[in-house]
Amino acid sequence: MKYSTYQSIFPMNLEDLQETRKEGKLRLLQMNTNTLLLKLLVLVIVVWVAGAGVLTVFAAPSVSKEEVIKLTVQPGDTLWEIAANHKPERMDTRVYIEGIVRINGLEDGGVQAGQVLKLPHF
């Protein structure tokens, strides 16, 4: 029998074998890194899309023009009385007055009989 060992059939020195193994490990590491980066990218995209969907669902709806309440000021009405009668139950009257002033562009904070006010919707 001429060849008695595996190494004698395939003459390859030990350094070449180690170099080949290092190259194989390096390629495997690169493939794993590429796969990991791809998975991370897909995960980021999924989270981004899901987050945008959640934000859209929970976003406050805009108030349409039909939902804005308009009120004509009667003689003797004050901004405080109007706010106290139309504000949400647990809201501070002063905060609602500020909303009325802003939405109507009132500079002096006073109202006059016959004036039409838009009341904010909270």
Side-chain angles (χ1 to χ4, degrees):
M1 184 171 209
K2 188 174 178 185
Y3 300 108
S4 61
T5 65
Y6 178 81
Q7 195 171 19
S8 63
I9 295 173
F10 297 102
M12 184 183 266
N13 63 23
L14 189 55
E15 291 175 7
D16 290 342
L17 183 60
Q18 288 174 343
E19 187 66 30
T20 304
R21 286 183 182 170
K22 284 181 186 178
E23 289 172 4
K25 287 180 183 179
L26 184 61
R27 271 191 247 124
L28 184 62
L29 181 62
Q30 287 173 341
M31 286 178 15
N32 286 342
T33 304
N34 291 342
T35 303
L36 182 62
L37 288 175
L38 181 62
K39 288 179 182 178
L40 183 61
L41 178 64
V42 169
L43 179 66
V44 167
I45 291 171
V46 167
V47 169
W48 184 24
V49 169
V54 168
L55 288 177
T56 302
V57 168
F58 289 111
S62 61
V63 178
S64 68
K65 292 182 180 179
E66 293 78 39
E67 293 181 36
V68 174
I69 298 172
K70 292 186 178 181
L71 173 84
T72 303
V73 178
Q74 301 301 315
D77 282 350
T78 64
L79 205 49
W80 185 271
E81 290 173 341
I82 294 169
N85 292 333
H86 293 91
K87 70 178 180 69
E89 186 177 323
R90 295 189 179 194
M91 180 178 268
D92 187 338
T93 305
R94 292 169 291 194
V95 173
Y96 197 73
I97 289 173
E98 181 64 29
I100 293 172
V101 169
R102 284 188 182 179
I103 198 170
N104 291 287
L106 302 176
E107 293 183 12
D108 59 0
V111 292
Q112 296 183 6
Q115 185 177 6
V116 178
L117 295 177
K118 292 184 256 179
L119 300 179
H121 184 280
F122 289 97

